[in-house]
Amino acid sequence: MNASHLNRALGLEGVVRTPDGAGGFTEAWTALGTLWAEVLPGSGSDTLGEERMLSAVPYRITVRAAPVASPSRPKAGQRLVEGSRLFLIQAVTERDPDGRYLTCFAREEVPK
């Protein structure tokens, strides 16, 4: 297995839901830390958003592994941030048999 080139600093964020007092909730993203990553794009596609067409590009993002209970271990539902770019994590799996790296399957959605 080839060594990963973890050459990009990405912020890991988790969503916090707060009751809005009317039976619903509001969502806010909170920073959980910084991870060094290798970001590899997949092939893009168009998807229909709420009000407009979105270009959705899947990514495989490799990061160093962390213990399962660690807050620095990414998981589905969180996101990775690089400047104004947002990568929504859909799934996470171990990349190698030794468990040294994790692969995050993520999507970056860019409005057209």
Side-chain angles (χ1 to χ4, degrees):
M1 179 166 288
N2 295 337
S4 294
H5 300 286
L6 308 180
N7 59 358
R8 292 168 73 172
L10 303 178
L12 178 64
E13 295 184 346
V15 68
V16 176
R17 293 188 173 107
T18 306
D20 65 4
F25 57 88
T26 58
E27 292 183 344
W29 291 92
T30 183
L32 301 174
T34 301
L35 303 176
W36 285 93
E38 176 183 57
V39 180
L40 300 174
S43 58
S45 65
D46 288 334
T47 58
L48 184 60
E50 290 182 24
E51 297 181 11
R52 59 185 173 207
M53 190 66 103
L54 299 172
S55 292
V57 178
Y59 285 86
R60 285 180 181 235
I61 301 174
T62 302
V63 298
R64 289 196 196 289
V68 175
S70 173
S72 64
R73 183 183 176 106
K75 56 186 172 185
Q78 293 178 333
R79 70 183 185 187
L80 294 164
V81 179
E82 182 181 41
S84 63
R85 299 179 71 183
L86 303 174
F87 302 95
L88 305 174
I89 301 172
Q90 297 178 318
V92 178
T93 186
E94 292 180 347
R95 179 177 177 258
D96 59 331
D98 297 328
R100 293 177 296 157
Y101 296 98
L102 298 173
T103 297
C104 302
F105 297 91
R107 278 191 144 355
E108 178 184 26
E109 294 185 345
V110 182
K112 279 186 166 179

XYZ file of all heavy atoms in Angstrom:
845
model
N 0.850 -1.174 0.000
C 0.000 0.000 0.000
C 0.896 1.237 0.000
O 1.859 1.316 0.747
C -0.903 -0.009 1.220
C -1.799 1.193 1.299
S -3.124 0.982 2.483
C -4.130 -0.183 1.619
N 0.568 2.199 -0.844
C 1.350 3.428 -0.940
C 1.122 4.311 0.281
O 0.034 4.353 0.830
C 0.963 4.212 -2.190
C 1.321 3.458 -3.449
O 2.202 2.600 -3.435
N 0.652 3.774 -4.537
N 2.186 5.027 0.663
C 2.059 5.976 1.771
C 1.226 7.168 1.320
O 1.303 7.595 0.172
C 3.430 6.436 2.219
N 0.421 7.688 2.187
C -0.406 8.854 1.882
C 0.417 10.120 2.020
O 1.346 10.193 2.816
C -1.604 8.927 2.831
O -2.455 7.846 2.596
N 0.092 11.127 1.237
C 0.728 12.435 1.312
C -0.222 13.374 2.050
O -1.073 14.007 1.437
C 1.048 12.964 -0.090
C 1.969 12.067 -0.850
N 3.309 11.994 -0.555
C 1.755 11.198 -1.854
C 3.879 11.124 -1.359
N 2.964 10.621 -2.156
N -0.101 13.434 3.345
C -0.980 14.256 4.168
C -0.448 15.685 4.151
O 0.276 16.106 5.038
C -1.063 13.699 5.589
C -1.422 12.218 5.710
C -1.464 11.797 7.160
C -2.725 11.906 5.010
N -0.813 16.424 3.104
C -0.225 17.738 2.871
C -1.219 18.896 2.919
O -0.879 20.010 2.547
C 0.502 17.745 1.523
C -0.427 17.418 0.369
O -1.597 17.148 0.561
N 0.115 17.432 -0.832
N -2.437 18.640 3.367
C -3.443 19.702 3.464
C -4.061 19.705 4.855
O -4.503 18.674 5.348
C -4.536 19.488 2.412
C -3.991 19.702 1.010
C -4.932 19.242 -0.052
N -6.082 20.120 -0.208
C -6.950 19.974 -1.212
N -6.807 19.027 -2.116
N -7.976 20.794 -1.299
N -4.098 20.872 5.477
C -4.706 21.015 6.806
C -6.195 21.286 6.629
O -6.579 22.278 6.014
C -4.049 22.149 7.572
N -7.025 20.394 7.149
C -8.480 20.547 7.081
C -9.037 20.653 8.494
O -8.624 19.920 9.393
C -9.126 19.349 6.376
C -8.646 19.027 4.957
C -9.370 17.790 4.437
C -8.885 20.191 4.034
N -10.007 21.541 8.670
C -10.687 21.650 9.957
C -11.792 20.610 10.042
O -12.533 20.407 9.083
N -11.885 19.926 11.154
C -12.966 18.979 11.402
C -14.045 19.702 12.195
O -13.742 20.335 13.211
C -12.461 17.761 12.174
C -13.497 16.708 12.556
C -14.101 16.062 11.303
C -12.876 15.653 13.454
N -15.287 19.645 11.729
C -16.409 20.305 12.410
C -17.548 19.327 12.638
O -17.802 18.446 11.817
C -16.930 21.476 11.575
C -15.937 22.601 11.421
C -16.493 23.800 10.681
O -17.570 23.687 10.034
O -15.868 24.865 10.741
N -18.225 19.511 13.764
C -19.409 18.732 14.093
C -20.598 19.663 14.254
O -20.439 20.829 14.599
N -21.787 19.134 13.991
C -22.995 19.943 14.086
C -23.554 19.887 15.507
O -23.506 18.847 16.160
C -24.057 19.497 13.049
C -24.609 18.126 13.372
C -25.162 20.508 12.926
N -24.017 21.035 15.982
C -24.661 21.134 17.298
C -26.083 21.612 17.060
O -26.298 22.649 16.429
C -23.906 22.128 18.217
C -24.634 22.294 19.534
C -22.478 21.678 18.429
N -27.060 20.856 17.550
C -28.477 21.223 17.393
C -28.995 21.817 18.695
O -28.815 21.264 19.765
C -29.287 20.001 16.999
C -28.926 19.516 15.626
C -29.862 18.420 15.156
N -29.579 18.111 13.778
C -28.970 17.012 13.371
N -28.604 16.109 14.255
N -28.738 16.818 12.085
N -29.654 22.967 18.555
C -30.200 23.676 19.707
C -31.693 23.887 19.493
O -32.088 24.340 18.410
C -29.511 25.057 19.858
O -28.096 24.854 19.891
C -29.948 25.752 21.116
N -32.549 23.574 20.495
C -33.983 23.819 20.333
C -34.265 25.289 20.031
O -33.648 26.186 20.612
C -34.580 23.422 21.685
C -33.560 22.534 22.313
C -32.229 22.985 21.793
N -35.197 25.536 19.100
C -35.511 26.928 18.735
C -36.715 27.479 19.486
O -37.112 28.616 19.276
C -35.715 27.060 17.225
C -36.925 26.299 16.716
O -37.679 25.708 17.527
O -37.127 26.293 15.483
N -37.331 26.683 20.376
C -38.462 27.142 21.169
C -39.799 26.998 20.471
O -40.841 27.272 21.049
N -39.799 26.571 19.211
C -41.044 26.409 18.459
C -41.230 24.965 18.009
O -41.930 24.696 17.044
C -41.037 27.336 17.244
N -40.546 24.028 18.691
C -40.686 22.615 18.356
C -39.641 22.114 17.373
O -39.574 20.937 17.090
N -38.828 22.980 16.866
C -37.761 22.599 15.936
C -36.406 22.838 16.564
O -36.272 22.886 17.782
N -35.418 22.998 15.733
C -34.075 23.262 16.234
C -33.287 24.044 15.197
O -33.644 24.103 14.035
C -33.351 21.954 16.589
C -33.266 20.988 15.446
C -32.212 21.041 14.550
C -34.239 20.020 15.257
C -32.126 20.171 13.492
C -34.168 19.139 14.194
C -33.102 19.211 13.312
N -32.212 24.644 15.657
C -31.267 25.309 14.770
C -29.966 24.517 14.794
O -29.668 23.838 15.777
C -30.984 26.758 15.204
O -30.471 26.743 16.523
C -32.239 27.601 15.150
N -29.236 24.587 13.698
C -27.968 23.881 13.613
C -26.823 24.881 13.507
O -26.935 25.878 12.809
C -27.939 22.968 12.385
C -28.890 21.803 12.474
C -28.784 20.888 11.265
O -28.214 21.303 10.229
O -29.263 19.764 11.359
N -25.756 24.593 14.200
C -24.534 25.398 14.112
C -23.358 24.433 14.086
O -23.397 23.369 14.716
C -24.427 26.338 15.303
N -22.334 24.790 13.353
C -21.140 23.949 13.257
C -20.097 24.441 14.247
O -19.885 25.629 14.403
C -20.586 23.987 11.838
C -21.492 23.289 10.869
C -22.484 23.861 10.126
C -21.516 21.907 10.563
N -23.122 22.910 9.373
C -22.541 21.690 9.622
C -20.773 20.815 10.988
C -22.834 20.439 9.106
C -21.070 19.555 10.468
C -22.084 19.380 9.538
N -19.446 23.492 14.936
C -18.414 23.825 15.901
C -17.110 23.117 15.528
O -17.128 21.970 15.085
C -18.856 23.448 17.331
O -17.865 23.857 18.247
C -19.099 21.977 17.483
N -16.000 23.809 15.695
C -14.691 23.247 15.355
C -14.295 22.166 16.360
O -14.455 22.344 17.572
C -13.643 24.350 15.332
N -13.777 21.050 15.843
C -13.336 19.942 16.689
C -11.835 19.734 16.628
O -11.286 18.955 17.395
C -14.051 18.651 16.270
C -15.567 18.673 16.339
C -16.140 17.386 15.770
C -16.026 18.869 17.774
N -11.174 20.393 15.679
C -9.732 20.240 15.556
C -9.286 20.362 14.115
O -10.081 20.621 13.212
N -7.990 20.159 13.905
C -7.392 20.209 12.572
C -6.765 18.862 12.262
O -6.084 18.281 13.116
C -6.315 21.311 12.504
O -6.927 22.563 12.820
C -5.692 21.396 11.125
N -7.013 18.370 11.056
C -6.448 17.101 10.607
C -5.630 17.336 9.346
O -6.055 18.088 8.462
C -7.564 16.094 10.289
C -8.548 15.780 11.405
C -9.643 14.857 10.887
C -7.839 15.132 12.581
N -4.471 16.696 9.255
C -3.701 16.729 8.019
C -4.224 15.618 7.128
O -4.464 14.500 7.584
C -2.212 16.572 8.315
C -1.659 17.833 8.867
C -1.536 18.171 10.187
C -1.203 18.948 8.117
N -1.026 19.438 10.302
C -0.807 19.942 9.041
C -1.093 19.221 6.757
C -0.301 21.171 8.645
C -0.581 20.451 6.370
C -0.196 21.404 7.301
N -4.426 15.943 5.844
C -5.127 15.024 4.960
C -4.552 14.998 3.551
O -3.880 15.925 3.113
C -6.598 15.421 4.894
N -4.862 13.921 2.862
C -4.666 13.807 1.420
C -6.064 13.810 0.816
O -6.926 13.036 1.246
C -3.946 12.500 1.073
C -3.800 12.274 -0.417
C -3.141 10.949 -0.733
O -3.665 9.907 -0.286
O -2.112 10.956 -1.409
N -6.308 14.692 -0.157
C -7.634 14.844 -0.751
C -7.566 14.416 -2.209
O -6.825 15.008 -3.001
C -8.118 16.308 -0.645
C -9.495 16.462 -1.260
C -8.131 16.759 0.814
N -8.326 13.368 -2.567
C -8.363 12.866 -3.936
C -9.790 12.948 -4.476
O -10.709 12.376 -3.875
C -7.871 11.422 -3.988
C -6.437 11.182 -3.507
C -6.127 9.694 -3.465
C -5.457 11.911 -4.408
N -9.989 13.648 -5.596
C -11.341 13.779 -6.153
C -11.770 12.544 -6.934
O -10.943 11.799 -7.463
C -11.218 14.985 -7.085
C -9.800 14.948 -7.530
C -9.008 14.412 -6.354
N -13.098 12.359 -7.007
C -13.686 11.332 -7.849
C -14.318 12.003 -9.057
O -13.991 13.146 -9.380
N -15.253 11.322 -9.712
C -15.926 11.934 -10.865
C -17.188 12.653 -10.400
O -17.872 12.199 -9.491
C -16.273 10.879 -11.912
O -17.099 9.889 -11.345
N -17.497 13.794 -11.006
C -18.610 14.642 -10.588
C -19.939 14.234 -11.200
O -20.011 13.432 -12.126
N -21.016 14.813 -10.658
C -22.369 14.596 -11.170
C -23.222 15.791 -10.773
O -22.846 16.586 -9.928
C -22.962 13.308 -10.595
O -23.122 13.417 -9.201
N -24.372 15.925 -11.404
C -25.319 16.979 -11.053
C -26.432 16.394 -10.207
O -26.922 15.297 -10.466
C -25.938 17.608 -12.310
C -24.942 18.468 -13.065
O -24.012 18.972 -12.428
O -25.104 18.625 -14.277
N -26.827 17.122 -9.173
C -27.951 16.707 -8.334
C -28.886 17.892 -8.160
O -28.475 19.043 -8.258
C -27.475 16.243 -6.935
O -26.765 17.305 -6.307
C -26.574 15.024 -7.027
N -30.149 17.605 -7.903
C -31.133 18.652 -7.694
C -31.173 19.017 -6.224
O -31.411 18.175 -5.362
C -32.516 18.179 -8.151
C -33.636 19.200 -8.095
C -33.297 20.395 -8.988
C -34.937 18.582 -8.558
N -30.890 20.301 -5.927
C -30.950 20.800 -4.553
C -32.359 21.268 -4.249
O -33.307 20.994 -4.995
N -32.546 21.970 -3.139
C -33.869 22.447 -2.754
C -34.444 23.414 -3.775
O -35.618 23.363 -4.086
C -33.809 23.107 -1.379
C -33.577 22.123 -0.261
C -33.580 22.804 1.088
O -34.172 23.889 1.225
O -32.994 22.241 2.020
N -33.624 24.331 -4.267
C -34.131 25.338 -5.197
C -33.314 25.454 -6.462
O -33.671 26.208 -7.353
C -34.173 26.707 -4.511
C -35.120 26.751 -3.340
C -35.154 28.118 -2.690
O -34.619 29.076 -3.259
O -35.719 28.220 -1.592
N -32.205 24.747 -6.551
C -31.353 24.887 -7.726
C -30.544 23.617 -7.943
O -30.453 22.760 -7.082
C -30.431 26.079 -7.567
C -29.546 25.950 -6.359
C -28.715 27.177 -6.145
N -28.022 27.010 -4.872
C -27.637 27.974 -4.116
N -27.862 29.204 -4.479
N -27.016 27.757 -3.001
N -29.913 23.538 -9.108
C -29.074 22.407 -9.451
C -27.724 22.552 -8.755
O -27.181 23.649 -8.654
C -28.874 22.367 -10.965
C -28.229 21.109 -11.437
S -29.305 19.706 -11.176
C -29.879 19.474 -12.822
N -27.189 21.471 -8.228
C -25.890 21.478 -7.567
C -24.949 20.528 -8.300
O -25.377 19.482 -8.769
C -26.008 20.994 -6.114
C -26.888 21.787 -5.170
C -27.024 21.042 -3.849
C -26.320 23.164 -4.930
N -23.695 20.906 -8.402
C -22.676 19.999 -8.890
C -22.092 19.305 -7.669
O -21.596 19.960 -6.757
C -21.575 20.756 -9.626
O -22.067 21.294 -10.818
N -22.166 17.996 -7.636
C -21.672 17.242 -6.489
C -20.454 16.436 -6.922
O -20.501 15.708 -7.905
C -22.757 16.316 -5.951
N -19.354 16.591 -6.195
C -18.126 15.877 -6.504
C -17.755 15.018 -5.302
O -17.605 15.537 -4.196
C -16.975 16.863 -6.818
C -15.684 16.108 -7.097
C -17.352 17.753 -7.982
N -17.611 13.691 -5.494
C -17.191 12.846 -4.379
C -15.683 12.936 -4.178
O -14.923 13.151 -5.132
C -17.596 11.444 -4.833
C -17.559 11.502 -6.319
C -17.917 12.917 -6.697
N -15.238 12.797 -2.941
C -13.818 12.834 -2.600
C -13.487 11.673 -1.675
O -14.324 11.245 -0.878
C -13.452 14.136 -1.878
C -13.376 15.327 -2.786
C -14.507 16.057 -3.093
C -12.168 15.723 -3.342
C -14.441 17.155 -3.930
C -12.086 16.821 -4.180
C -13.222 17.528 -4.471
O -13.144 18.612 -5.309
N -12.247 11.200 -1.784
C -11.670 10.270 -0.811
C -10.619 11.071 -0.066
O -9.637 11.517 -0.652
C -11.027 9.073 -1.500
C -12.015 8.096 -2.034
C -11.270 6.956 -2.698
N -12.234 6.027 -3.219
C -12.255 4.738 -2.923
N -11.342 4.229 -2.130
N -13.185 3.969 -3.431
N -10.843 11.253 1.212
C -9.943 12.058 2.031
C -9.299 11.143 3.065
O -9.995 10.529 3.873
C -10.716 13.210 2.710
C -11.365 14.096 1.636
C -9.783 14.006 3.609
C -12.274 15.178 2.176
N -7.985 11.040 3.008
C -7.237 10.171 3.913
C -6.650 11.002 5.049
O -6.051 12.050 4.809
C -6.117 9.434 3.162
O -6.690 8.679 2.099
C -5.343 8.511 4.083
N -6.849 10.531 6.279
C -6.306 11.174 7.479
C -5.683 10.100 8.366
O -5.924 8.910 8.184
C -7.396 11.945 8.271
C -7.999 13.056 7.442
C -8.479 11.008 8.763
N -4.872 10.536 9.339
C -4.320 9.576 10.307
C -5.459 9.039 11.175
O -6.393 9.755 11.516
C -3.297 10.241 11.211
C -2.027 10.570 10.504
C -0.908 10.862 11.499
N 0.201 11.523 10.855
C 1.044 10.961 10.008
N 0.877 9.700 9.688
N 2.028 11.638 9.475
N -5.336 7.790 11.533
C -6.361 7.155 12.362
C -6.312 7.698 13.786
O -5.284 8.209 14.240
C -6.171 5.648 12.379
N -7.428 7.609 14.464
C -7.560 7.964 15.878
C -8.455 6.903 16.512
O -9.252 6.265 15.817
C -8.181 9.349 16.020
N -8.347 6.689 17.814
C -9.207 5.693 18.467
C -10.688 5.991 18.222
O -11.085 7.146 18.048
C -8.861 5.848 19.949
C -7.495 6.445 19.963
C -7.428 7.319 18.754
N -11.497 4.948 18.237
C -12.923 5.064 17.927
C -13.629 6.098 18.795
O -14.440 6.868 18.313
C -13.626 3.691 18.054
C -15.117 3.816 17.862
C -13.042 2.711 17.040
N -13.332 6.193 20.044
C -14.023 7.131 20.948
C -13.429 8.537 20.929
O -13.958 9.437 21.568
C -14.005 6.582 22.368
N -12.354 8.743 20.187
C -11.672 10.034 20.190
C -12.464 11.098 19.435
O -12.991 10.839 18.358
C -10.298 9.879 19.535
O -9.681 11.134 19.376
N -12.551 12.321 19.973
C -13.261 13.392 19.264
C -12.539 13.826 17.987
O -13.133 14.462 17.125
C -13.318 14.538 20.276
C -12.283 14.228 21.290
C -12.076 12.741 21.283
N -11.263 13.456 17.826
C -10.534 13.813 16.607
C -10.707 12.781 15.495
O -10.169 12.946 14.415
C -9.043 13.984 16.919
O -8.486 12.763 17.354
N -11.484 11.718 15.758
C -11.762 10.718 14.716
C -13.001 11.175 13.940
O -14.081 11.307 14.509
C -12.009 9.351 15.327
C -12.223 8.270 14.268
C -12.526 6.937 14.927
N -12.827 5.921 13.956
C -12.002 4.936 13.614
N -10.823 4.845 14.181
N -12.367 4.046 12.723
N -12.858 11.425 12.630
C -14.020 11.868 11.857
C -15.081 10.780 11.761
O -14.776 9.598 11.854
C -13.432 12.178 10.472
C -12.055 11.657 10.458
C -11.655 11.308 11.844
N -16.334 11.210 11.587
C -17.429 10.260 11.416
C -18.488 10.859 10.498
O -18.518 12.073 10.260
C -18.025 9.847 12.753
C -18.520 10.971 13.611
C -18.957 10.431 14.961
C -19.267 11.573 15.909
N -19.570 11.107 17.246
N -19.341 10.005 9.986
C -20.410 10.438 9.081
C -21.262 11.500 9.766
O -21.525 11.426 10.966
C -21.272 9.252 8.673
N -21.641 12.526 8.995
C -22.442 13.614 9.534
C -21.609 14.826 9.916
O -22.151 15.904 10.125
N -20.301 14.656 10.028
C -19.418 15.781 10.293
C -18.946 16.338 8.955
O -19.329 15.849 7.896
C -18.227 15.338 11.141
C -18.617 14.925 12.541
C -17.427 14.449 13.352
O -16.435 13.956 12.835
N -17.548 14.590 14.680
N -18.106 17.368 8.997
C -17.566 17.911 7.755
C -16.120 18.341 7.963
O -15.687 18.602 9.076
C -18.402 19.062 7.234
C -18.342 20.336 8.047
C -19.277 21.388 7.484
N -19.137 22.650 8.204
C -19.918 23.700 8.006
N -20.884 23.645 7.114
N -19.732 24.809 8.683
N -15.406 18.376 6.839
C -14.037 18.867 6.801
C -14.057 20.179 6.042
O -14.756 20.309 5.032
C -13.123 17.852 6.130
C -12.969 16.533 6.903
C -12.379 15.453 6.026
C -12.116 16.744 8.139
N -13.303 21.164 6.521
C -13.344 22.509 5.963
C -11.939 22.939 5.561
O -10.980 22.743 6.309
C -13.909 23.504 7.005
C -13.935 24.915 6.468
C -15.286 23.070 7.463
N -11.845 23.528 4.369
C -10.593 24.120 3.905
C -10.950 25.473 3.293
O -11.459 25.545 2.178
C -9.918 23.229 2.864
C -8.588 23.767 2.392
C -7.950 22.870 1.353
O -8.657 22.354 0.469
O -6.727 22.695 1.441
N -10.742 26.538 4.060
C -11.142 27.872 3.599
C -12.654 27.924 3.444
O -13.401 27.639 4.372
N -13.124 28.249 2.235
C -14.564 28.298 1.979
C -15.109 26.976 1.446
O -16.302 26.856 1.192
C -14.875 29.417 0.980
O -14.250 29.143 -0.261
N -14.255 25.990 1.308
C -14.681 24.683 0.791
C -15.166 23.791 1.937
O -14.545 23.723 2.997
C -13.544 24.001 0.046
C -13.082 24.815 -1.151
C -11.948 24.156 -1.860
N -12.431 22.966 -2.557
C -11.621 22.155 -3.231
N -10.320 22.375 -3.263
N -12.121 21.100 -3.846
N -16.288 23.108 1.699
C -16.887 22.225 2.693
C -17.000 20.818 2.120
O -17.561 20.621 1.048
C -18.278 22.716 3.086
C -18.369 24.139 3.621
C -19.823 24.525 3.833
C -17.584 24.282 4.901
N -16.473 19.837 2.847
C -16.541 18.442 2.446
C -17.417 17.716 3.463
O -17.002 17.527 4.613
C -15.147 17.823 2.402
C -14.199 18.535 1.466
C -13.331 19.509 1.940
C -14.188 18.238 0.118
C -12.454 20.151 1.090
C -13.314 18.882 -0.748
C -12.448 19.841 -0.265
N -18.612 17.327 3.072
C -19.550 16.651 3.969
C -19.209 15.163 4.023
O -19.229 14.479 2.994
C -20.977 16.861 3.482
C -21.385 18.327 3.304
C -22.775 18.426 2.685
C -21.334 19.058 4.622
N -18.907 14.661 5.209
C -18.489 13.269 5.369
C -19.708 12.357 5.329
O -20.643 12.515 6.101
C -17.716 13.072 6.685
C -16.483 13.967 6.704
C -17.334 11.606 6.871
C -15.752 14.001 8.027
N -19.668 11.374 4.416
C -20.765 10.412 4.283
C -20.465 9.078 4.949
O -21.363 8.408 5.431
C -21.080 10.202 2.812
C -21.564 11.480 2.154
C -21.836 11.287 0.685
O -21.075 10.637 -0.019
N -22.921 11.854 0.219
N -19.188 8.672 4.939
C -18.782 7.404 5.563
C -17.294 7.460 5.868
O -16.546 8.194 5.220
C -19.088 6.237 4.639
N -16.864 6.654 6.847
C -15.455 6.575 7.233
C -15.100 5.104 7.407
O -15.860 4.337 8.002
C -15.182 7.338 8.549
C -13.717 7.211 8.952
C -15.581 8.795 8.425
N -13.936 4.714 6.881
C -13.465 3.338 7.028
C -11.959 3.330 7.199
O -11.283 4.302 6.841
C -13.868 2.472 5.814
O -13.524 1.119 6.054
C -13.186 2.956 4.547
N -11.430 2.234 7.751
C -9.986 2.114 7.871
C -9.397 1.859 6.492
O -9.925 1.072 5.715
C -9.622 1.000 8.851
C -10.010 1.354 10.271
C -9.669 0.274 11.266
O -9.347 -0.856 10.858
O -9.741 0.570 12.470
N -8.307 2.544 6.184
C -7.701 2.457 4.854
C -6.759 1.271 4.733
O -6.639 0.668 3.668
C -6.945 3.749 4.547
C -6.266 3.731 3.201
C -5.598 5.073 2.936
N -4.898 5.024 1.675
C -3.594 4.872 1.550
N -2.839 4.774 2.615
N -3.029 4.842 0.362
N -6.052 0.929 5.808
C -5.044 -0.123 5.749
C -5.293 -1.160 6.838
O -5.972 -0.889 7.825
C -3.650 0.485 5.881
C -3.456 1.248 7.176
O -4.439 1.783 7.696
O -2.319 1.308 7.660
N -4.765 -2.371 6.659
C -4.997 -3.440 7.645
C -4.478 -3.113 9.041
O -4.995 -3.611 10.030
C -4.239 -4.644 7.069
C -4.025 -4.338 5.636
C -3.999 -2.848 5.505
N -3.435 -2.262 9.127
C -2.869 -1.910 10.435
C -3.660 -0.820 11.139
O -3.380 -0.487 12.287
C -1.417 -1.447 10.277
C -0.531 -2.558 9.741
O -0.795 -3.741 10.042
O 0.427 -2.238 9.008
N -4.630 -0.204 10.466
C -5.447 0.844 11.069
C -4.701 2.133 11.305
O -5.019 2.880 12.219
N -3.686 2.453 10.471
C -2.910 3.678 10.643
C -3.583 4.884 9.997
O -3.331 6.014 10.378
C -1.508 3.505 10.067
C -0.675 2.501 10.848
C 0.675 2.304 10.223
N 0.457 1.728 8.896
C 1.314 1.807 7.898
N 2.446 2.437 8.045
N 1.045 1.252 6.734
N -4.412 4.629 8.987
C -5.075 5.703 8.259
C -6.569 5.420 8.147
O -7.002 4.272 8.191
C -4.503 5.847 6.837
C -3.053 6.241 6.804
C -2.066 5.282 6.626
C -2.664 7.567 6.961
C -0.731 5.641 6.598
C -1.331 7.930 6.930
C -0.365 6.964 6.752
O 0.952 7.317 6.729
N -7.341 6.487 7.981
C -8.777 6.386 7.739
C -9.075 7.026 6.387
O -8.443 8.009 6.014
C -9.568 7.135 8.809
C -9.423 6.662 10.248
C -10.137 7.636 11.185
C -9.962 5.261 10.410
N -10.052 6.475 5.671
C -10.547 7.092 4.447
C -11.937 7.634 4.729
O -12.816 6.899 5.186
C -10.615 6.098 3.281
O -9.288 5.644 3.000
C -11.191 6.738 2.037
N -12.105 8.928 4.482
C -13.414 9.584 4.608
C -13.995 9.724 3.214
O -13.364 10.318 2.331
C -13.271 10.970 5.237
S -12.512 10.978 6.866
N -15.162 9.178 2.991
C -15.863 9.360 1.739
C -16.737 10.587 1.921
O -17.609 10.611 2.787
C -16.695 8.120 1.398
C -15.836 6.902 1.190
C -15.535 6.056 2.246
C -15.305 6.626 -0.057
C -14.731 4.945 2.060
C -14.497 5.520 -0.256
C -14.211 4.671 0.797
N -16.444 11.619 1.153
C -17.096 12.904 1.359
C -17.578 13.470 0.029
O -17.175 13.019 -1.036
C -16.123 13.878 2.013
N -18.460 14.466 0.115
C -18.964 15.171 -1.058
C -18.814 16.670 -0.837
O -19.121 17.187 0.218
C -20.440 14.881 -1.293
C -20.691 13.585 -2.025
C -22.130 13.517 -2.452
N -22.573 12.934 -3.670
C -21.918 12.428 -4.681
N -20.641 12.424 -4.669
N -22.501 11.910 -5.728
N -18.332 17.324 -1.880
C -18.281 18.770 -1.877
C -19.386 19.227 -2.817
O -19.432 18.820 -3.978
C -16.933 19.295 -2.380
C -16.885 20.799 -2.426
C -15.591 21.354 -3.004
O -14.945 20.657 -3.801
O -15.243 22.480 -2.636
N -20.301 20.031 -2.315
C -21.381 20.539 -3.147
C -21.126 21.988 -3.468
O -20.910 22.814 -2.581
C -22.731 20.342 -2.472
C -23.091 18.876 -2.342
C -24.470 18.662 -1.779
O -25.044 19.611 -1.224
O -24.969 17.535 -1.872
N -21.156 22.292 -4.744
C -20.884 23.636 -5.229
C -22.089 24.126 -6.008
O -22.479 23.506 -6.997
C -19.641 23.651 -6.148
C -19.336 25.054 -6.621
C -18.459 23.040 -5.419
N -22.767 25.225 -5.600
C -23.912 25.734 -6.352
C -23.502 26.149 -7.753
O -22.430 26.717 -7.961
C -24.378 26.960 -5.541
C -23.760 26.774 -4.193
C -22.503 26.000 -4.390
N -24.356 25.856 -8.736
C -24.106 26.260 -10.115
C -24.565 27.663 -10.357
O -25.487 28.135 -9.799
C -24.855 25.351 -11.090
C -24.146 24.070 -11.334
C -24.899 23.333 -12.414
C -24.082 22.209 -12.962
N -24.782 21.470 -13.969
